[in-house]
Short mmCIF file of all heavy atoms in Angstrom, two decimals:
data_model
loop_
_atom_site.label_atom_id
_atom_site.label_comp_id
_atom_site.label_asym_id
_atom_site.label_seq_id
_atom_site.Cartn_x
_atom_site.Cartn_y
_atom_site.Cartn_z
N PRO M 3 58.93 -82.93 -29.74
CA PRO M 3 60.25 -83.09 -30.38
C PRO M 3 60.14 -83.72 -31.75
O PRO M 3 60.92 -83.36 -32.67
CB PRO M 3 60.95 -84.00 -29.40
CG PRO M 3 60.27 -83.84 -28.11
CD PRO M 3 58.85 -83.52 -28.43
N TRP M 4 59.22 -84.64 -31.95
CA TRP M 4 59.06 -85.23 -33.26
C TRP M 4 58.65 -84.25 -34.32
O TRP M 4 59.13 -84.32 -35.45
CB TRP M 4 58.06 -86.41 -33.15
CG TRP M 4 57.77 -87.07 -34.48
CD1 TRP M 4 56.58 -87.08 -35.18
CD2 TRP M 4 58.73 -87.81 -35.30
NE1 TRP M 4 56.72 -87.76 -36.33
CE2 TRP M 4 58.02 -88.23 -36.44
CE3 TRP M 4 60.06 -88.15 -35.14
CZ2 TRP M 4 58.66 -89.00 -37.39
CZ3 TRP M 4 60.66 -88.89 -36.10
CH2 TRP M 4 59.97 -89.30 -37.25
N SER M 5 57.72 -83.36 -33.99
CA SER M 5 57.31 -82.33 -34.88
C SER M 5 58.48 -81.40 -35.25
O SER M 5 58.68 -81.04 -36.41
CB SER M 5 56.14 -81.51 -34.35
OG SER M 5 55.03 -82.33 -34.09
N GLY M 6 59.28 -81.09 -34.27
CA GLY M 6 60.44 -80.24 -34.53
C GLY M 6 61.46 -80.96 -35.41
O GLY M 6 62.09 -80.38 -36.25
N PHE M 7 61.60 -82.26 -35.16
CA PHE M 7 62.57 -83.07 -35.98
C PHE M 7 62.10 -83.09 -37.44
O PHE M 7 62.90 -82.98 -38.36
CB PHE M 7 62.66 -84.45 -35.40
CG PHE M 7 63.64 -85.33 -36.11
CD1 PHE M 7 65.05 -85.18 -35.90
CD2 PHE M 7 63.23 -86.29 -36.99
CE1 PHE M 7 65.97 -85.98 -36.57
CE2 PHE M 7 64.17 -87.11 -37.65
CZ PHE M 7 65.49 -86.92 -37.45
N LYS M 8 60.75 -83.28 -37.64
CA LYS M 8 60.26 -83.29 -38.99
C LYS M 8 60.39 -81.96 -39.68
O LYS M 8 60.68 -81.89 -40.88
CB LYS M 8 58.75 -83.69 -39.00
CG LYS M 8 58.53 -85.14 -38.62
CD LYS M 8 57.12 -85.64 -38.96
CE LYS M 8 56.08 -84.81 -38.14
NZ LYS M 8 54.72 -85.32 -38.42
N ARG M 9 60.25 -80.84 -38.92
CA ARG M 9 60.41 -79.54 -39.55
C ARG M 9 61.83 -79.29 -40.03
O ARG M 9 62.07 -78.53 -40.95
CB ARG M 9 59.98 -78.42 -38.57
CG ARG M 9 58.47 -78.27 -38.40
CD ARG M 9 58.13 -76.97 -37.72
NE ARG M 9 58.66 -76.86 -36.36
CZ ARG M 9 58.04 -77.24 -35.29
NH1 ARG M 9 56.83 -77.77 -35.35
NH2 ARG M 9 58.63 -77.12 -34.11
N MET M 10 62.78 -79.92 -39.33
CA MET M 10 64.19 -79.79 -39.70
C MET M 10 64.49 -80.37 -41.09
O MET M 10 65.43 -79.91 -41.77
CB MET M 10 65.10 -80.41 -38.65
CG MET M 10 65.10 -79.70 -37.30
SD MET M 10 66.08 -80.62 -36.06
CE MET M 10 67.67 -80.67 -36.84
N PHE M 11 63.71 -81.34 -41.47
CA PHE M 11 63.99 -82.04 -42.76
C PHE M 11 62.94 -81.86 -43.80
O PHE M 11 62.91 -82.59 -44.79
CB PHE M 11 64.22 -83.57 -42.47
CG PHE M 11 65.42 -83.86 -41.62
CD1 PHE M 11 65.24 -83.99 -40.23
CD2 PHE M 11 66.68 -83.91 -42.14
CE1 PHE M 11 66.37 -84.26 -39.47
CE2 PHE M 11 67.77 -84.16 -41.38
CZ PHE M 11 67.64 -84.33 -39.98
N ASP M 12 62.03 -80.88 -43.61
CA ASP M 12 61.04 -80.60 -44.65
C ASP M 12 61.64 -79.63 -45.64
O ASP M 12 62.81 -79.20 -45.56
CB ASP M 12 59.75 -80.14 -44.07
CG ASP M 12 59.89 -78.84 -43.32
OD1 ASP M 12 60.97 -78.29 -43.28
OD2 ASP M 12 58.88 -78.37 -42.72
N VAL M 13 60.79 -79.18 -46.61
CA VAL M 13 61.30 -78.25 -47.63
C VAL M 13 61.76 -76.92 -47.06
O VAL M 13 62.80 -76.38 -47.43
CB VAL M 13 60.18 -78.01 -48.67
CG1 VAL M 13 60.65 -77.00 -49.71
CG2 VAL M 13 59.79 -79.32 -49.35
N ARG M 14 60.96 -76.43 -46.05
CA ARG M 14 61.38 -75.18 -45.45
C ARG M 14 62.70 -75.28 -44.73
O ARG M 14 63.55 -74.38 -44.80
CB ARG M 14 60.29 -74.68 -44.45
CG ARG M 14 58.97 -74.31 -45.11
CD ARG M 14 58.03 -73.75 -44.08
NE ARG M 14 56.79 -73.29 -44.69
CZ ARG M 14 55.80 -72.75 -43.98
NH1 ARG M 14 55.87 -72.63 -42.66
NH2 ARG M 14 54.69 -72.36 -44.64
N GLY M 15 62.89 -76.39 -43.98
CA GLY M 15 64.18 -76.57 -43.32
C GLY M 15 65.34 -76.63 -44.29
O GLY M 15 66.40 -76.11 -44.03
N LEU M 16 65.10 -77.31 -45.45
CA LEU M 16 66.16 -77.36 -46.46
C LEU M 16 66.46 -75.99 -47.02
O LEU M 16 67.63 -75.63 -47.21
CB LEU M 16 65.71 -78.30 -47.54
CG LEU M 16 66.66 -78.46 -48.75
CD1 LEU M 16 67.98 -79.09 -48.28
CD2 LEU M 16 66.00 -79.37 -49.83
N VAL M 17 65.43 -75.22 -47.26
CA VAL M 17 65.61 -73.84 -47.76
C VAL M 17 66.42 -72.98 -46.79
O VAL M 17 67.34 -72.25 -47.11
CB VAL M 17 64.30 -73.21 -48.13
CG1 VAL M 17 64.49 -71.71 -48.45
CG2 VAL M 17 63.64 -73.94 -49.30
N GLU M 18 66.04 -73.09 -45.49
CA GLU M 18 66.76 -72.32 -44.46
C GLU M 18 68.24 -72.75 -44.37
O GLU M 18 69.10 -71.94 -44.19
CB GLU M 18 66.10 -72.52 -43.13
CG GLU M 18 64.67 -71.94 -43.01
CD GLU M 18 64.69 -70.41 -43.18
OE1 GLU M 18 65.68 -69.78 -42.75
OE2 GLU M 18 63.73 -69.88 -43.79
N LEU M 19 68.49 -74.08 -44.53
CA LEU M 19 69.88 -74.56 -44.49
C LEU M 19 70.65 -73.97 -45.72
O LEU M 19 71.81 -73.55 -45.52
CB LEU M 19 69.82 -76.09 -44.54
CG LEU M 19 71.22 -76.76 -44.62
CD1 LEU M 19 72.05 -76.42 -43.38
CD2 LEU M 19 71.10 -78.24 -44.78
N ILE M 20 70.04 -74.01 -46.89
CA ILE M 20 70.71 -73.48 -48.05
C ILE M 20 71.02 -71.99 -47.88
O ILE M 20 72.08 -71.50 -48.21
CB ILE M 20 69.86 -73.70 -49.31
CG1 ILE M 20 69.79 -75.24 -49.59
CG2 ILE M 20 70.44 -73.01 -50.52
CD1 ILE M 20 68.87 -75.59 -50.74
N LYS M 21 70.03 -71.25 -47.35
CA LYS M 21 70.23 -69.81 -47.11
C LYS M 21 71.35 -69.57 -46.15
O LYS M 21 72.25 -68.61 -46.32
CB LYS M 21 68.98 -69.16 -46.65
CG LYS M 21 67.89 -68.98 -47.67
CD LYS M 21 66.75 -68.09 -47.21
CE LYS M 21 66.10 -68.61 -45.99
NZ LYS M 21 64.96 -67.75 -45.60
N SER M 22 71.43 -70.38 -45.07
CA SER M 22 72.47 -70.15 -44.06
C SER M 22 73.88 -70.48 -44.67
O SER M 22 74.84 -69.71 -44.42
CB SER M 22 72.22 -71.14 -42.87
OG SER M 22 70.98 -70.78 -42.26
N ILE M 23 73.94 -71.54 -45.42
CA ILE M 23 75.21 -71.88 -46.04
C ILE M 23 75.64 -70.77 -47.05
O ILE M 23 76.80 -70.34 -47.16
CB ILE M 23 75.15 -73.22 -46.80
CG1 ILE M 23 74.92 -74.33 -45.77
CG2 ILE M 23 76.37 -73.51 -47.61
CD1 ILE M 23 74.69 -75.70 -46.35
N LEU M 24 74.65 -70.29 -47.82
CA LEU M 24 74.94 -69.24 -48.81
C LEU M 24 75.42 -67.95 -48.13
O LEU M 24 76.34 -67.30 -48.59
CB LEU M 24 73.67 -68.97 -49.63
CG LEU M 24 73.79 -67.89 -50.75
CD1 LEU M 24 74.85 -68.33 -51.76
CD2 LEU M 24 72.46 -67.69 -51.46
N LYS M 25 74.77 -67.61 -47.05
CA LYS M 25 75.18 -66.41 -46.28
C LYS M 25 76.59 -66.58 -45.74
O LYS M 25 77.42 -65.65 -45.79
CB LYS M 25 74.22 -66.13 -45.09
CG LYS M 25 72.91 -65.55 -45.52
CD LYS M 25 72.11 -65.01 -44.36
CE LYS M 25 71.69 -66.18 -43.45
NZ LYS M 25 70.85 -65.67 -42.33
N LEU M 26 76.89 -67.77 -45.17
CA LEU M 26 78.17 -67.98 -44.59
C LEU M 26 79.26 -67.90 -45.64
O LEU M 26 80.33 -67.23 -45.49
CB LEU M 26 78.24 -69.35 -43.93
CG LEU M 26 79.51 -69.81 -43.30
CD1 LEU M 26 79.92 -68.86 -42.19
CD2 LEU M 26 79.41 -71.23 -42.80
N LEU M 27 79.05 -68.54 -46.79
CA LEU M 27 80.02 -68.47 -47.86
C LEU M 27 80.23 -67.11 -48.44
O LEU M 27 81.37 -66.62 -48.67
CB LEU M 27 79.62 -69.46 -49.00
CG LEU M 27 79.61 -70.97 -48.61
CD1 LEU M 27 79.12 -71.78 -49.78
CD2 LEU M 27 81.01 -71.39 -48.19
N LEU M 28 79.12 -66.41 -48.68
CA LEU M 28 79.21 -65.08 -49.29
C LEU M 28 79.88 -64.10 -48.37
O LEU M 28 80.77 -63.36 -48.76
CB LEU M 28 77.81 -64.60 -49.66
CG LEU M 28 77.72 -63.24 -50.35
CD1 LEU M 28 78.43 -63.29 -51.70
CD2 LEU M 28 76.23 -62.85 -50.57
N ILE M 29 79.44 -64.04 -47.11
CA ILE M 29 80.00 -63.11 -46.15
C ILE M 29 81.48 -63.42 -45.86
O ILE M 29 82.32 -62.54 -45.79
CB ILE M 29 79.18 -63.05 -44.88
CG1 ILE M 29 77.80 -62.48 -45.18
CG2 ILE M 29 79.83 -62.21 -43.81
CD1 ILE M 29 76.85 -62.51 -44.00
N GLY M 30 81.76 -64.74 -45.71
CA GLY M 30 83.11 -65.15 -45.46
C GLY M 30 84.01 -64.75 -46.63
O GLY M 30 85.16 -64.29 -46.43
N PHE M 31 83.59 -64.96 -47.83
CA PHE M 31 84.40 -64.66 -49.04
C PHE M 31 84.68 -63.20 -49.11
O PHE M 31 85.81 -62.71 -49.33
CB PHE M 31 83.73 -65.14 -50.26
CG PHE M 31 84.42 -64.85 -51.55
CD1 PHE M 31 85.59 -65.45 -51.91
CD2 PHE M 31 83.90 -63.85 -52.39
CE1 PHE M 31 86.25 -65.16 -53.11
CE2 PHE M 31 84.56 -63.53 -53.59
CZ PHE M 31 85.71 -64.19 -53.91
N VAL M 32 83.65 -62.35 -48.93
CA VAL M 32 83.82 -60.90 -49.00
C VAL M 32 84.68 -60.41 -47.82
O VAL M 32 85.51 -59.51 -48.01
CB VAL M 32 82.45 -60.17 -49.06
CG1 VAL M 32 82.63 -58.72 -49.03
CG2 VAL M 32 81.73 -60.62 -50.32
N ALA M 33 84.47 -60.99 -46.67
CA ALA M 33 85.30 -60.56 -45.50
C ALA M 33 86.76 -60.83 -45.73
O ALA M 33 87.64 -60.00 -45.40
CB ALA M 33 84.76 -61.26 -44.25
N VAL M 34 87.09 -61.97 -46.31
CA VAL M 34 88.49 -62.26 -46.60
C VAL M 34 89.05 -61.30 -47.62
O VAL M 34 90.21 -60.81 -47.47
CB VAL M 34 88.61 -63.74 -47.07
CG1 VAL M 34 90.00 -63.99 -47.63
CG2 VAL M 34 88.29 -64.69 -45.98
N LEU M 35 88.29 -60.97 -48.64
CA LEU M 35 88.73 -60.01 -49.65
C LEU M 35 88.99 -58.65 -49.03
O LEU M 35 90.01 -58.00 -49.34
CB LEU M 35 87.72 -59.90 -50.77
CG LEU M 35 87.55 -61.10 -51.72
CD1 LEU M 35 86.49 -60.85 -52.78
CD2 LEU M 35 88.90 -61.46 -52.39
N MET M 36 88.06 -58.21 -48.15
CA MET M 36 88.22 -56.86 -47.55
C MET M 36 89.43 -56.86 -46.60
O MET M 36 90.20 -55.86 -46.57
CB MET M 36 86.95 -56.50 -46.85
CG MET M 36 85.77 -56.29 -47.74
SD MET M 36 84.36 -55.50 -46.89
CE MET M 36 85.06 -53.88 -46.60
N MET M 37 89.57 -57.92 -45.81
CA MET M 37 90.73 -57.93 -44.88
C MET M 37 92.05 -57.98 -45.66
O MET M 37 93.07 -57.36 -45.24
CB MET M 37 90.62 -59.16 -43.98
CG MET M 37 89.45 -59.10 -42.99
SD MET M 37 89.49 -57.65 -41.93
CE MET M 37 90.97 -58.03 -40.96
N ASP M 38 92.05 -58.64 -46.85
CA ASP M 38 93.26 -58.66 -47.65
C ASP M 38 93.57 -57.29 -48.21
O ASP M 38 94.76 -56.85 -48.27
CB ASP M 38 93.09 -59.69 -48.81
CG ASP M 38 94.33 -59.79 -49.64
OD1 ASP M 38 95.39 -60.23 -49.12
OD2 ASP M 38 94.25 -59.44 -50.83
N SER M 39 92.52 -56.59 -48.71
CA SER M 39 92.70 -55.24 -49.23
C SER M 39 93.07 -54.21 -48.14
O SER M 39 93.74 -53.23 -48.45
CB SER M 39 91.42 -54.79 -49.97
OG SER M 39 90.38 -54.68 -49.06
N LEU M 40 92.65 -54.47 -46.93
CA LEU M 40 92.94 -53.50 -45.85
C LEU M 40 94.10 -53.90 -45.01
O LEU M 40 94.39 -53.32 -43.96
CB LEU M 40 91.69 -53.38 -44.94
CG LEU M 40 90.46 -52.74 -45.57
CD1 LEU M 40 89.30 -52.79 -44.61
CD2 LEU M 40 90.71 -51.28 -46.00
N GLY M 41 94.82 -54.98 -45.42
CA GLY M 41 95.90 -55.51 -44.60
C GLY M 41 96.98 -54.44 -44.36
O GLY M 41 97.42 -54.26 -43.17
#
């Protein structure tokens, strides 16, 4: 568990977090635009 906890806060974990947030924001933004245009 300690090794897994450290991996969560290393550089790779930070990059994965940034990618996940970027995907969520990008897909959510485009999905809202498409639903608005297809309303």
Side-chain angles (χ1 to χ4, degrees):
W4 177 245
S5 300
F7 184 77
K8 289 194 298 183
R9 285 196 297 269
M10 291 175 59
F11 295 95
D12 62 3
V13 177
R14 291 185 178 182
L16 179 61
V17 171
E18 293 298 327
L19 177 61
I20 294 175
K21 288 193 299 184
S22 299
I23 295 175
L24 182 61
K25 283 192 295 184
L26 179 63
L27 294 176
L28 182 62
I29 293 176
F31 177 71
V32 175
V34 170
L35 290 180
M36 294 191 68
M37 294 300 294
D38 183 65
S39 63
L40 295 174

